[in-house]
Amino acid sequence: MVGVVKRRLKRSQILVSAVQSARSTAIRHAGRRKRRGIINACLAAAGTKKLQLGAGGNDLDGWLCSDLFPQPHEIYVDVTERLPFPDRTFDYVFSEHQIEHVPYPYGVFMLHECFRVLKPGGVLRIATPDLERIVALYAAEKSDLQQRYIRFVTDKFIPETSDYSPCFVVNCDVRSWEHQFIYDFATLAQEMHRAGFVEVTRHAAGESGDVALRGLEAHGRVIGDEEMNAYETMAVEARRPA
């Protein structure tokens, strides 16, 4: 009897996987068709050109917004594939809490693609969780902010425990929401340099020396606490050499 149940479960899982694969293929084909005219119009327009990767519904005014699962005002873009834009197209590229959702090799590939589509002198801004901040929750003496962060994540995202333990919080931050690879600043900066970028700098969420890159992040509103987002998020900017 157990064997019969297992075989039926396996067939059901195979069927679900096949349906999901077919749906993903249909989304890709439809997305590629729909985006052509929007991309052409963007390239033909005058003015500063700005690309947002992984918009997730946080559509920024004046930006070409894209996502793997695009909302009505976004275009389909899969960052694990070659970006559908010519070389040296954009003045700015921005992504927020997106690069951690793809495996490390694809994240590196994405950085190289961002370099390719940026104009000389163009700037890339990546906002993403900071692994160093997350691991620092294990400090023997925690700051008030670290203690509040542990309580916040536990209460909001970890219903299976009431223990305010860094063990649960670190596991949640690294493994939940289909996270694939969490960067620290040194690793992300190194990969940006390897992609060809220069002037790699770190900023707080919402802050930048470039007015065009200030106030872009929305993850604090998504999780419902700007202070907690400021703790876990680093924003890293880098410039393509002129």
Side-chain angles (χ1 to χ4, degrees):
M1 182 65 180
V2 173
V4 172
V5 172
K6 286 183 176 179
R7 286 195 295 273
R8 288 179 178 174
L9 179 59
K10 185 175 182 180
R11 286 198 296 270
S12 176
Q13 291 171 336
I14 292 172
L15 178 59
V16 169
S17 178
V19 170
Q20 290 175 337
S21 178
R23 180 174 177 270
S24 295
T25 300
I27 289 173
R28 287 197 300 271
H29 290 327
R32 287 172 180 145
R33 287 195 302 271
K34 292 178 181 178
R35 74 188 180 191
R36 291 171 189 163
I38 298 173
I39 291 174
N40 290 339
C42 173
L43 298 183
T48 303
K49 292 183 170 53
K50 299 180 283 188
L51 171 65
Q52 182 184 14
L53 298 173
N58 174 36
D59 299 341
L60 299 171
D61 291 340
W63 292 70
L64 177 60
C65 305
S66 69
D67 199 88
L68 183 63
F69 300 101
Q71 300 296 309
H73 298 292
E74 301 165 1
I75 64 168
Y76 169 83
V77 168
D78 182 349
V79 299
T80 69
E81 301 175 347
R82 181 180 172 87
L83 297 179
F85 312 106
D87 296 356
R88 305 184 176 196
T89 297
F90 295 97
D91 299 280
Y92 296 98
V93 177
F94 167 66
S95 83
E96 178 186 15
H97 282 256
Q98 176 268 329
I99 194 171
E100 68 272 15
H101 290 274
V102 299
Y104 171 74
Y106 286 113
V108 172
F109 173 77
M110 186 191 94
L111 295 175
H112 283 261
E113 278 296 283
C114 289
F115 183 89
R116 179 182 66 80
V117 302
L118 276 166
K119 298 176 182 178
V123 178
L124 169 67
R125 180 180 174 95
I126 302 281
T128 187
D130 179 3
L131 183 62
E132 188 173 1
R133 286 275 183 92
I134 295 169
V135 173
L137 298 172
Y138 270 100
E141 295 186 8
K142 298 175 181 59
S143 68
D144 289 342
L145 179 58
Q146 287 173 320
Q147 292 174 2
R148 289 201 304 275
Y149 181 79
I150 290 172
R151 291 195 298 270
F152 170 78
V153 174
T154 303
D155 291 343
K156 193 173 183 70
F157 301 115
I158 315 177
E160 59 269 26
T161 184
S162 58
D163 295 336
Y164 294 126
S165 163
C167 177
F168 284 95
V169 174
V170 170
N171 271 282
C172 178
D173 284 352
V174 172
R175 296 173 60 86
S176 297
W177 306 291
E178 299 183 356
H179 285 173
Q180 299 293 315
F181 188 86
I182 308 296
Y183 295 80
D184 58 17
F185 174 73
T187 302
L188 184 55
Q190 175 178 266
E191 294 305 337
M192 286 177 161
H193 282 301
R194 286 175 174 170
F197 288 100
V198 297
E199 299 175 27
V200 179
T201 54
R202 176 176 179 148
H203 305 268
E207 297 180 4
S208 175
D210 189 325
V211 66
L213 296 174
R214 295 175 190 162
L216 300 182
E217 282 79 29
H219 189 66
R221 296 196 299 274
V222 172
I223 66 174
D225 196 306
E226 294 289 353
E227 186 181 36
M228 297 299 97
N229 179 57
Y231 176 79
E232 72 178 14
T233 299
M234 61 175 174
V236 183
E237 294 180 6
R239 185 178 303 276
R240 175 170 176 164

